[in-house]
Amino acid sequence: DKAGHRHFMAKEIAEQPSRLTAALEHYLSEDGSIRLPAPGIDFAGVDRISMVACGTASYACHVAKYWFEQIAGLPVDLDVASEFRYREPPIPARTLALFVSQSGETADTLAALRYCRDKAERILSVVNVAESSIARESDLALPILAGPEIGVASTKAFSCQLLVLGLLALEAGRQRGRLDEATVRARIDDLRAVPGLVNHALSLTEDAGRIAAKLAEARDILFLGRGRMFPLALEGALKLKEISYIHAEAYASGELKHGPIALVDKTVPVIVMAPHDELFDKTVSNMQEVMARGGRVLLVTDRAGSQSAAQGVWETLVLPDVAPVWAPILYAVPAQLLAYHTAIAKGTDVDQPRNLAKSVTVE
Ligand code: F6R
């Protein structure tokens, strides 16, 4: 049931405010503290986290790596499951192994989990399907409560994965004494504002549709982001290529001059994901390098960002202000909308893109 939407993907994008709210309610207790199912997680008893996932779920982990390291001071290793499982990585004592999967059935992720079984301190998973193999074989499985996701391109699962991982990073920061109670509360308050901001961001659908009609003519598109926005660039590129079949690549902004800038000319749109945060000026200088070479920049930013850096850009998408730490959840929306509308403009099969399956249960 598409609930009046043209595609499951559109419905699932639109559901994000309510699914995020449901996940927040599930993981926050009345007094506003973070509530994890028994036996909980002892973050003071681990020295590092090893995260493993595939595709979009791996980009959620990539964002979470920034969060765990910055908020909780916990080092994070991150790998895609198909590489991790065959590399025979040593797993040091006191490692928390964390697997993220919407379906809970992805073959490589499950095999990676089994590899960690007798090696890691604890096996934790973050899943959408609560009765899945990955959930069953974990010491603790945390549901993301996104509800069934039918569209092959993951949307609401990504934002709900981010929300749960964000809460875990806060809880880790609290347990490890890196955050005092007042700071935890303030970050939770910021997080509570996110579903409403996501709702606002959905109103960008018209702008995204207009810009997408132009993106649909491109053969190649570059996405750039810095810091916690780098994984969002990766996610934006993946979403675009899987449903519109346009070649898209993402780079960390600072990598631009180490190679990919050679690709830039006026035929290559460059989508820059950059809220006005502590790294904004750095990203803007990369953006100016693109414009100096004739590149057409679509700047995805907030009001302050668009006021300070709109000059010379091709297009802007302006999002509401959000606490910088949680910006990746909000900026998932324009990434999704741009991919969706570009696919519509190209007339591709949005919900069932060619060659792809919703759940990859073979390696
Ligand atoms: C992209 C997408 C895939 C999945 C990946 C992992 O939109 O949906 O990249 O994220 O196949 O699937 P799960 O999360 O079920 O393990």
Side-chain angles (χ1 to χ4, degrees):
D1 177 18
K2 296 179 191 150
H5 292 275
R6 198 167 148 195
H7 297 99
F8 283 110
M9 186 179 176
K11 170 179 177 255
E12 289 160 5
I13 290 172
E15 277 174 349
Q16 292 179 103
S18 64
R19 300 326 304 165
L20 290 166
T21 301
L24 274 171
E25 279 171 6
H26 182 85
Y27 286 104
L28 294 177
S29 46
E30 307 264 284
D31 68 356
S33 60
I34 296 167
R35 178 172 59 193
L36 295 175
I41 306 162
D42 175 18
F43 282 107
V46 296
D47 295 334
R48 53 191 287 286
I49 304 181
S50 181
M51 288 190 197
V52 183
C54 300
T56 285
S58 80
Y59 299 145
C61 292
H62 198 156
V63 173
K65 174 180 167 76
Y66 289 83
W67 285 339
F68 278 106
E69 293 187 348
Q70 289 170 352
I71 298 173
L74 258 177
V76 172
D77 278 330
L78 162 64
D79 213 337
V80 291
S82 55
E83 285 301 312
F84 179 90
R85 64 178 290 199
Y86 295 114
R87 209 176 58 231
E88 300 183 24
I91 308 291
R94 293 166 57 92
T95 295
L96 173 67
L98 172 50
F99 302 87
V100 178
S101 174
Q102 187 282 130
S103 63
E105 301 296 346
T106 299
D108 282 325
T109 310
L110 182 58
L113 183 155
R114 288 176 177 157
Y115 173 83
C116 291
R117 171 107 312 279
D118 299 318
K119 303 181 182 74
E121 182 80 31
R122 292 293 299 290
I123 298 207
L124 175 67
S125 62
V126 171
V127 295
N128 196 28
V129 181
E131 51 291 326
S132 57
S133 305
I134 288 174
R136 264 197 315 277
E137 296 193 26
S138 305
D139 297 325
L140 184 67
L142 301 178
I144 58 169
L145 303 151
E149 193 180 62
I150 312 290
V152 163
S154 190
T155 53
K156 62 177 179 172
F158 179 66
S159 51
C160 290
Q161 283 161 355
L162 288 178
L163 184 113
V164 172
L165 291 167
L167 285 169
L168 285 180
L170 282 182
E171 177 61 13
R174 190 189 65 80
Q175 286 186 21
R176 295 168 65 79
R178 297 266 303 204
L179 298 180
D180 57 32
E181 294 294 338
T183 310
V184 175
R185 292 301 156 107
R187 293 291 162 274
I188 288 176
D189 285 345
D190 290 339
L191 196 52
R192 280 185 197 279
V194 168
L197 300 174
V198 166
N199 197 38
H200 274 279
L202 293 175
S203 66
L204 289 176
T205 194
E206 232 168 84
D207 286 339
R210 182 178 51 75
I211 296 167
K214 299 198 263 180
L215 294 179
E217 287 162 20
R219 208 188 59 175
D220 309 286
I221 296 180
L222 275 178
F223 282 77
L224 298 179
R226 200 181 263 273
R228 39 180 126 71
M229 299 312 289
F230 169 42
L232 266 287
L234 291 163
E235 171 63 1
L238 177 66
K239 217 94 296 177
L240 189 79
K241 73 185 116 183
E242 68 180 331
I243 62 170
S244 78
Y245 315 147
I246 294 175
H247 169 236
E249 275 196 78
Y251 279 91
S253 305
E255 277 290 295
L256 188 67
K257 53 166 98 39
H258 299 287
I261 197 159
L263 298 173
V264 171
D265 65 20
K266 64 181 186 328
T267 69
V268 182
V270 181
I271 301 179
V272 181
M273 316 274 286
H276 196 263
D277 60 12
E278 72 283 6
L279 298 173
F280 183 74
D281 292 341
K282 303 267 177 217
T283 304
V284 166
S285 77
N286 303 131
M287 189 177 99
Q288 281 159 348
E289 288 158 8
V290 167
M291 296 191 301
R293 284 153 187 88
R296 290 181 297 169
V297 169
L298 162 55
L299 176 60
V300 183
T301 186
D302 46 29
R303 199 153 33 97
S306 75
Q307 280 166 357
S308 78
Q311 212 188 352
V313 303
W314 176 54
E315 288 283 0
T316 37
L317 275 177
V318 180
L319 286 146
D321 291 344
V322 60
V325 65
W326 306 132
I329 310 178
L330 181 63
Y331 281 64
V333 176
Q336 297 160 356
L337 291 176
L338 287 169
Y340 178 74
H341 289 287
T342 305
I344 298 285
K346 295 207 69 177
T348 53
D349 186 342
V350 170
D351 283 335
Q352 296 226 281
R354 67 187 183 198
N355 311 341
L356 291 173
K358 180 66 183 161
S359 182
V360 185
T361 53
V362 291
E363 53 175 286

